[in-house]
Structure formats: C-alpha cells, structure tokens
Amino acid sequence: MSHKENLYLAGHSPEVLSWHSSRTAANSCAYLLPSLQPHMHILDIGCGPGSITLDLAALVPEGKVIGIDVGAEAIEEAKKAARERGLRNVEFEVGDAHELRFEAGMFDVVHAHQVLQHIGRPEHAVRQWRRVVKDGGIIACRDADSGSAAYYPETADLAEFQDVHRKATRARGGEPNGGRHLVAWSRGAGIDRSSIRASASVWCYSSPEERKYWAEMWANRCVGSESRKNMIDGVHATEQDLDRFARAWRQWATDDDGWWTLLHGEIVCHV
C-alpha cells in the first residue's frame, strides 16, 4: 500500500502484530460468516499477521484466500502462521489497497477489517475492490468508530488521550470514526444503497483480564511503538504527555469498576 495513502499510526512492531493476532473470524467478521461457502475465493485486505485470513481459509476448503498488507513484517508473520497451521489454500503478499494487481472479477469476496479508517482515499479503494469482485460477489468491511467509545471511570487524562489520538490519526490522512462512514464511502464508490446491508457490533472490556489487555495495548503504544514517535513528530503530544497517558491507562486497568466499549460499523455489499 502507498506510504502516502496508508499511514497506520501504530506501525507494525512485534507488539502491535501480537495484539492483532488475537483477532479471529469469529470475533472480527461474524457478520460475514453466514455468507461464506466452501468453494469461495476471498481477498483479505489489510490482513496483518493473518489470524483472520487463516480462519477464512479454513472455512473455504475448496476455495482459496489471498491476504495482502502494507507491512512486510506482518506478511512474514502471516506466512509463518500459515505454515504452522498447515493450510495450503492461502497465500500472503505485500499489496496496495488502492491499486490491486488482480484481474477483474477474480474473487467471490473482498474482506477488509479495520482498513478503510486508516487509508487516504477510501472511496477509491472500494472502487478497486469492486473491480476485482465477481458479479454477484461481496465486499465486506468492519471499522471501529473511535468517537463512540464509552468508558468508566471517565478521567481527564483518558479523555485527553482520545482527543490526541484522533487528531494524530486525521493528520496522517485517516478517519478514526470510520465505522459511521462505511455506508457513505461505499455509496461514494458507486455501490447502490439497496445493495448495502449495514450492522454494528461492539468490543467490551470489563473483567480484570480484559481491562489489562486493553490498557496495556494502549499504554505500550504511548511509550514504545511507532505511535509515540508519530504523535510527538506531529506535535500532537509531548513525551511527558504520553508517559502520563500510559500511567492513566494502567491505572484504569486496576479499577474493578472499569468498563470500556467501542462500537464498530459493518457492511456487506452485494455487487
């Protein structure tokens, strides 16, 4: 994917890829699974370390799945995971969501999880995806909506972090509230509204284990991933700010009253 149009704030560090590896077809694209058939050919865009992609491959044993991602590091992790699972109907390669190399009508399904919010021209990307889907095929997308976050306790530091993170994402060309834009982006790409089925689902973190998982992911991005460098370089936060945000996340994780939810938009487009 183009470095100018696909600037993922968090980067592809081992810590980020490890967090992405917890995503599965069951917890990340349940809305799509009833539409799958064993013979289908699927393109998984923004596949990361391949955890969802490999689950999709297992669900289409008579078909084939190709996963593409901007990050070469992610693709290497995905290939390793495929070897470990012994799946033979899946391939991975570095690829550009805006300029797909594939022939027209090559896939039954194009799937993208947490992609459109991070790329520069989402409508152009969806047009490309439409090109490579067979007539009667499916484009399926799921994106978080950062502005929908509901959490407790509502501390000033966590509220400030949310604001800083959204500004930094937009400054790099993304849209952190992507979930609410999925229908509009698809219509802007020429897909008729009657062909779009929209739904929503949520992530919820409340148990001690869930709170620790969620908080450590964000705290680590404040102190040790590309997010820290990108937010500092973009003059969105200082080192002291980010250290303070990390402490706030870890403090939130220790509170047994803690609760965090995040809405996701989902669409299935029959094209």
Side-chain angles (χ1 to χ4, degrees):
M1 300 181 190
S2 163
H3 292 294
K4 292 183 178 180
E5 295 180 309
N6 303 272
L7 295 172
Y8 181 39
L9 186 66
H12 295 87
S13 69
E15 293 79 13
V16 171
L17 294 180
S18 176
W19 186 70
H20 288 172
S21 293
S22 68
R23 298 173 178 175
T24 67
N27 67 29
S28 296
C29 59
Y31 71 100
L32 169 63
L33 301 187
S35 300
L36 299 184
Q37 299 178 28
H39 67 276
M40 284 182 162
H41 286 222
I42 301 173
L43 176 62
D44 190 21
I45 295 177
C47 65
S51 54
I52 298 173
T53 322
L54 296 176
D55 284 352
L56 294 175
L59 292 169
V60 293
E62 301 165 24
K64 183 177 181 179
V65 181
I66 298 176
I68 67 170
D69 197 276
V70 62
E73 309 95 326
I75 292 299
E76 289 306 310
E77 287 296 313
K79 290 178 178 178
K80 178 182 176 182
R83 291 192 294 269
E84 291 173 350
R85 288 184 59 170
L87 291 168
R88 299 179 179 274
N89 64 332
V90 62
E91 297 177 0
F92 293 98
E93 61 185 67
V94 174
D96 185 341
H98 290 97
E99 303 297 337
L100 300 177
R101 69 166 184 82
F102 306 106
E103 297 178 1
M106 187 170 170
F107 298 97
D108 299 289
V109 177
V110 171
H111 168 258
H113 184 259
Q114 313 292 6
V115 172
L116 288 175
Q117 64 185 291
H118 295 299
I119 63 178
R121 294 184 292 159
E123 292 181 2
H124 174 77
V126 175
R127 289 190 192 98
Q128 275 288 301
W129 305 354
R130 172 65 186 90
R131 180 183 65 80
V132 301
V133 173
K134 298 175 182 177
D135 289 341
I138 291 170
I139 297 172
C141 307
R142 183 178 191 244
D143 274 271
D145 192 306
S146 176
S148 73
Y151 57 96
Y152 185 85
E154 297 180 357
T155 70
D157 285 337
L158 289 180
E160 184 181 351
F161 170 79
Q162 293 288 300
D163 184 58
V164 166
H165 191 267
R166 290 173 194 139
K167 288 178 178 177
T169 299
R170 289 191 173 107
R172 295 174 66 81
E175 175 45 70
N177 295 340
R180 70 186 69 178
H181 291 269
L182 292 180
V183 170
W185 286 336
S186 299
R187 293 187 66 234
I191 298 175
D192 189 86
R193 182 63 184 85
S194 64
S195 299
I196 303 170
R197 186 183 79 231
S199 58
S201 57
V202 299
W203 284 341
C204 181
Y205 302 93
S206 183
S207 73
E209 296 79 14
E210 291 166 347
R211 295 196 311 270
K212 181 178 179 180
Y213 170 82
W214 186 242
E216 282 300 314
M217 185 272 293
W218 286 111
N220 286 336
R221 293 190 184 189
C222 288
V223 300
S225 78
E226 286 184 42
S227 288
R228 180 182 178 92
K229 179 179 183 299
N230 289 334
M231 284 190 276
I232 292 171
D233 289 351
V235 199
H236 302 290
T238 66
E239 291 185 359
Q240 292 75 22
D241 289 333
L242 292 168
D243 290 342
R244 173 166 52 86
F245 297 153
R247 290 193 297 272
W249 274 111
R250 288 172 172 143
Q251 179 61 39
W252 174 82
T254 67
D255 193 328
D256 281 339
D257 292 332
W259 187 79
W260 196 290
T261 60
L262 184 64
L263 183 72
H264 290 71
E266 305 162 342
I267 55 168
V268 173
C269 305
H270 292 271
V271 298

